[in-house]
Amino acid sequence: MSEKTIEVSNFIRNIIDSDLKVGKNNGKVVTRFPPEPNGYLHIGHAKSICLNFGIARDYKSICHLRFDDTNPLAEDVEYVDSIQSDIQWLGFDWADKLFFASDYFDKLYNFAIQLIKSGKAYVDESSIDEIRQRRGSLSVPGVSSPSRDNSIEKNLELFEKMRSGEFAEGHCVLRAKIDMASSNMNLRDPILYRIRKVVHHRTGNKWQIYPMYDYTHPLSDMIEGITHSICTLEFEDHRPLYDWVLDELKTPCHPQQIEFARLNLDYTVMSKRKLLELVEKNLVNGWDDPRMPTISGMRRRGYTPQAIRNFSDRIGVTKKNSIISLSTLEHAVREDLDEVTPRAMVVIQPLKVVIENYPVGEAEELQGSVHPKKPELGQRQIPFTREIYIERDDFMENPPKDYFRLSPNGEVRLRYGYVIHCHEVIKNNHGEVVELRATYDKETKGGKTPEGKKKVKGIIHWVSTTKNVECEVRLYDRLFKVPDPLADKTIDFTENINADSLVVLKKAYAEPSLKNVKAEERFQFERLGFFCADKIDCKDGNLVFNRTVTLRDTWK
Ligand code: ATP
Ligand code: MG
């Protein structure tokens, strides 16, 4: 599936088109993606990235990457780095438009002074509890703080003391003076600055006060000349504050905030706080665990950037919250991988079959296509020998009537090879099947059915026991066993983790064409699914494959 076949249109692009038609913003379209560097990016962020960077691409502009680093407590350089590499991997580029909200701290401080001077902001020395109590509720109007009517001079003096570190954390805050009775709680004199005596990953200990998101965001957008500031629906009620800040400061440009519905996926948690909890409690193997909905997890699992972009385009952009099925994402992954991945045979749960009428020590090369729909990719050589492995699941001692794979006295076709007939089942002391004895029919090579013989319906994959490469295979499944892992408030969401979400098979056997596979190479293991060589552990001759997705939607 190529990107060009998807016609992207949505209500945000319609707004942009109308703006362009009337010559708004001097015909410019500038978007931004503003992550907070307090975790790795997830598939929800991917939707926002595809939207913002996609608009920039289609309107011949550049999307800014701006780190919203106003909360030094939760932020980390590791996150700053991972966010950049994830966006690049998704196929987007911010050129030289990389910014940090912390770069604007001086400007934001000066704007705050301006607000104080125009009587639109004041320092409140009430405690956080008092501020909360006086805020009222949706049905009760707020009550003014005694500090509300302090003089401009006093506010300037107190704010300077906040800045210079004279006050302890929590001693006071800077608030906007808007309307304590507003029906919109965000306008009841929201906090603009608070004291935080912590080191910032970029500004060090220069600042003892840090601006709040709702104040920082409109001003950062304005400073960068953003035209359309796209955010998720929770910010709809914050828009009046976004506009208030810019209107009161009479800024030269006034970006338009537009909200859209965030992506929610079933069987998934998306909040960074919850994802961090999974990482910190070692319930997954790091942020890039292939079961995580993070971009780095999906990458390690084998998802392609194209599949994620196709998915984002397909789910669209609306104003209505909904839950998208994880199957929709998996479908996009399957569809893209089917087009691009070479095929290989790998047996992950081996059962030995000895083909008794095949000469000992002999071998022959059978031919298989690299990709069934792409003859130009050529053929692969698959060695056939007297002893082979088949999948344990492909043999049944007492099969039901419509079973087409191998069973005692039954026949099956070996893919690209011969029809074999099973005539003996060997078991160990526990009664478990450990080996099969079979014969092959020479006339059936490469899919042929000799005249007068019945066509064999079942085809199974196999690998030679002597000419193969050993590998480890990790079968990944959904991390949660219920569609909404957060729904049941009586239990911790981690109790909903699917215990079978990772099954490691240490001794799998692959056809020799996989010998020199490099990290992140993708394959379709015939009949099993799509797999990707692990980005980290597949090295130094160790083959490790992650199951990206099964061939069909098998989730029950
Ligand atoms: P989370 O709630 O997962 O912690 P966040 O919104 O706090 O996410 P930010 O780093 O602030 O994370 O997000 C950066 C951008 O990504 C924001 O513009 C935000 O609206 C957008 N975004 C975050 N989650 C989603 C989502 N699920 N769907 C679409 N966009 C999202
Ligand atoms: Mg946020």
Side-chain angles (χ1 to χ4, degrees), residues 40-102:
Y40 280 58
L41 295 180
H42 53 60
I43 182 77
H45 294 116
K47 175 176 177 178
S48 177
I49 291 168
C50 292
L51 175 61
N52 281 295
F53 282 89
I55 287 173
R57 176 196 60 213
D58 295 344
Y59 289 87
K60 311 272 174 289
S61 160
I62 294 169
C63 175
H64 297 193
L65 170 58
R66 181 198 318 138
F67 286 98
D68 164 32
D69 54 353
T70 51
N71 178 17
L73 283 178
E75 293 160 8
D76 201 292
V77 204
E78 177 192 348
Y79 301 138
V80 172
D81 295 341
S82 74
I83 288 170
Q84 296 188 51
S85 75
D86 286 348
I87 298 173
Q88 282 165 335
W89 178 78
L90 271 180
F92 296 108
D93 178 23
W94 51 88
D96 59 345
K97 305 294 183 196
L98 171 65
F99 302 106
F100 291 81
S102 56

Side-chain angles (χ1 to χ4, degrees), residues 66-168:
R66 181 198 318 138
F67 286 98
D68 164 32
D69 54 353
T70 51
N71 178 17
L73 283 178
E75 293 160 8
D76 201 292
V77 204
E78 177 192 348
Y79 301 138
V80 172
D81 295 341
S82 74
I83 288 170
Q84 296 188 51
S85 75
D86 286 348
I87 298 173
Q88 282 165 335
W89 178 78
L90 271 180
F92 296 108
D93 178 23
W94 51 88
D96 59 345
K97 305 294 183 196
L98 171 65
F99 302 106
F100 291 81
S102 56
D103 293 342
Y104 310 137
F105 281 173
D106 282 302
K107 286 187 174 141
L108 297 180
Y109 174 76
N110 290 329
F111 281 127
I113 301 269
Q114 202 178 314
L115 284 176
I116 296 173
K117 284 186 175 163
S118 57
K120 294 294 179 184
Y122 62 98
V123 173
D124 192 347
E125 291 187 275
S126 316
S127 69
I128 286 297
D129 274 346
E130 286 168 330
I131 291 176
R132 198 174 299 132
Q133 275 161 22
R134 292 200 193 103
R135 228 175 140 223
S137 66
L138 282 177
S139 51
V140 181
V143 179
S144 294
S145 154
S147 310
R148 199 173 200 261
D149 294 320
N150 281 347
S151 69
I152 289 174
E153 289 66 36
K154 174 141 194 211
N155 283 322
L156 287 172
E157 189 190 312
L158 289 174
F159 191 49
E160 170 53 24
K161 285 187 176 161
M162 274 175 76
R163 190 200 60 77
S164 63
E166 260 182 60
F167 296 134

Side-chain angles (χ1 to χ4, degrees), residues 405-453:
R405 289 168 280 163
L406 201 55
S407 54
N409 293 316
E411 286 186 336
V412 79
R413 177 174 288 285
L414 299 175
R415 192 145 172 78
Y416 309 117
Y418 301 96
V419 169
I420 57 168
H421 175 97
C422 169
H423 58 84
E424 192 183 345
V425 178
I426 299 171
K427 296 182 180 176
N428 63 13
N429 296 341
H430 308 291
E432 295 157 349
V433 177
V434 290
E435 188 180 307
L436 302 177
R437 297 273 161 162
T439 52
Y440 84 115
D441 180 349
K442 215 175 174 162
E443 309 297 312
T444 57
K445 184 171 176 176
K448 285 195 280 297
T449 304
E451 252 185 65
K453 288 217 171 155

Side-chain angles (χ1 to χ4, degrees), residues 74 79 96 132 205 252 295 303 379-380 396 459 506 543:
Y79 301 138
D96 59 345
R132 198 174 299 132
N205 49 19
I295 295 177
Y303 285 23
Q379 299 284 105
R380 49 190 226 266
M396 241 179 140
I459 304 180
K506 290 268 181 200
L543 287 182

Side-chain angles (χ1 to χ4, degrees), residues 478-511:
R478 299 178 174 190
L479 183 54
F480 292 98
K481 55 189 178 204
V482 294
D484 182 355
L486 304 176
D488 185 349
K489 306 280 185 238
T490 64
I491 58 168
D492 191 80
F493 80 101
T494 58
E495 286 180 41
N496 289 319
I497 288 183
N498 169 15
D500 300 324
S501 57
L502 170 58
V503 174
V504 179
L505 302 167
K506 290 268 181 200
K507 249 184 188 313
Y509 297 95
E511 62 172 70

Side-chain angles (χ1 to χ4, degrees), residues 33-36 42 44-45 48 230 232 260 262-263 270-272:
F33 175 66
E36 188 182 340
H42 53 60
H45 294 116
S48 177
I230 303 167
T232 40
F260 72 101
R262 63 169 45 235
L263 168 65
M270 213 103 87
S271 134
K272 278 184 281 189

